[in-house]
Amino acid sequence: MRLIKVSDEEELSRMAAEYVFSKIKRSERIVLGLATGRTPLGMYRHLSKYSKEYKLLFSHVHTVNLDEYVGSRAYHAYMQENFFDHIGIPSNQTHLPDGEALELERECKRYEEVIKQLGGIDLQVLGIGENGHIGFNEPGTDFSSRTHVVELTESTLSANAKYFTHEKQPLKAITMGIGTILESKEILLLAAGVKKANAVKELFRGSLNENIPATVLNHHPSVTVIADVGARSLLEEES
Ligand code: GLP
């Protein structure tokens, strides 16, 4: 696992955007796995700006998001507003799980099929939860899990409550499974702020721990972590 050290969230956003943009520029076709949350917001802002500056439409880019809340389109709206509206990507090339689907189990299978039909994910961008979750794979999730419905933990509900001022906060979500995420060819994980410090410390301990889902990344051959000073604070105390 490679660690890129940055000082703050602004540098993290720039580094992450440069990393992703260089892959997009170099490829004739690319499947990006995307994350939501606060952490990748700056990356999306920079990528949108680069797209305009370089006059590069993202017409050769396909995207698959990690997750969506059940009964909600909150992450659809987030992606549209913060990224898709700015980059000239055809709408049929962007994919998220449908949290409003009537048959959720069938929707999970459909989503797996979408990823398979695209030929798998070339680069998956991940954030990390305070409890070490990736996507919405909460502590205890089987490392071989595929796209599934999850009940969110107290920790995740309280960390994300701030995003639900106009809508009742959903208690469940559909998420790519850990097994699904691990099949990505390459992974870029972004971590910012002291609230992520414990999860980042556990991640770099190197051992696998189902109670801290991100530790599964120690099993993946190509992972890059970009972490700011806050997220690295406990890591550096140890070394
Ligand atoms: C949510 C998302 C995750 C994200 C996490 C951290 O739970 N499902 O994909 O990584 O939040 O979010 P933030 O970047 O806001 O801390």
Side-chain angles (χ1 to χ4, degrees):
M1 196 150 29
R2 195 160 70 104
L3 173 62
I4 300 179
K5 299 180 180 184
V6 294
S7 52
D8 54 19
E9 239 178 294
E10 179 45 35
E11 198 186 352
L12 174 139
S13 301
R14 206 164 16 83
M15 280 294 234
E18 279 170 18
Y19 192 101
V20 175
F21 197 64
S22 75
K23 305 268 172 192
I24 293 174
K25 265 196 306 191
R26 273 190 275 138
S27 54
E28 284 175 11
R29 175 184 181 276
I30 185 166
V31 180
L32 288 181
L34 297 177
T36 49
R38 178 193 149 89
T39 318
L41 273 177
M43 176 188 81
Y44 291 134
R45 201 179 56 243
H46 283 289
L47 280 172
S48 305
K49 199 176 70 193
Y50 296 162
S51 162
K52 288 195 182 71
E53 277 171 18
Y54 291 84
K55 298 196 181 0
L56 180 74
L57 294 180
F58 284 30
S59 49
H60 63 305
V61 178
H62 298 254
T63 68
V64 277
N65 265 74
L66 283 166
D67 43 24
E68 175 60 283
Y69 288 99
V70 167
S72 166
R73 290 183 64 81
Y75 284 171
H76 281 73
Y78 169 109
M79 290 308 301
Q80 210 55 50
E81 198 177 303
N82 295 302
F83 197 37
F84 298 152
D85 280 348
H86 310 284
I87 55 170
I89 187 168
S91 58
N92 62 356
Q93 289 175 204
T94 65
H95 306 273
L96 287 95
D98 178 5
E100 294 183 321
L102 293 177
E103 293 184 50
L104 293 174
E105 291 307 323
R106 182 191 281 200
E107 173 57 14
C108 294
K109 292 208 175 69
R110 183 197 68 85
Y111 204 61
E112 283 285 324
E113 194 53 33
V114 165
I115 298 170
K116 193 167 147 203
Q117 291 298 327
L118 287 170
I121 299 167
D122 295 305
L123 172 63
Q124 174 67 57
V125 178
L126 292 178
I128 187 167
E130 291 172 26
N131 60 5
H133 73 230
I134 49 176
F136 267 134
N137 291 287
E138 297 284 26
T141 307
D142 197 311
F143 279 175
S144 62
S145 56
R146 312 302 306 184
T147 301
H148 61 290
V149 177
V150 289
E151 306 242 357
L152 301 170
T153 60
E154 276 305 318
S155 153
T156 302
L157 289 171
S158 85
N160 292 339
K162 54 185 179 285
Y163 301 118
F164 291 93
T165 46
H166 299 300
E167 150 184 28
K168 192 161 172 282
Q169 185 175 22
L171 305 178
K172 291 184 185 177
I174 297 182
T175 182
M176 267 188 214
I178 295 182
T180 321
I181 293 171
L182 276 189
E183 281 169 15
S184 313
K185 295 183 189 81
E186 191 185 345
I187 289 175
L188 177 66
L189 183 141
L190 311 178
V194 284
K195 286 187 173 167
K196 308 298 173 70
N198 193 50
V200 168
K201 183 182 82 179
E202 293 296 333
L203 174 61
F204 280 91
R205 213 189 271 280
S207 48
L208 304 187
N209 179 351
E210 273 198 359
N211 289 323
I212 303 168
T215 60
V216 76
L217 300 177
N218 285 298
H219 246 355
H220 191 283
S222 181
V223 178
T224 301
V225 177
I226 307 182
D228 75 353
V229 172
R232 295 196 319 272
S233 53
L234 292 176
L235 196 65
E236 288 172 359
E237 245 173 41
E238 277 209 336
S239 56

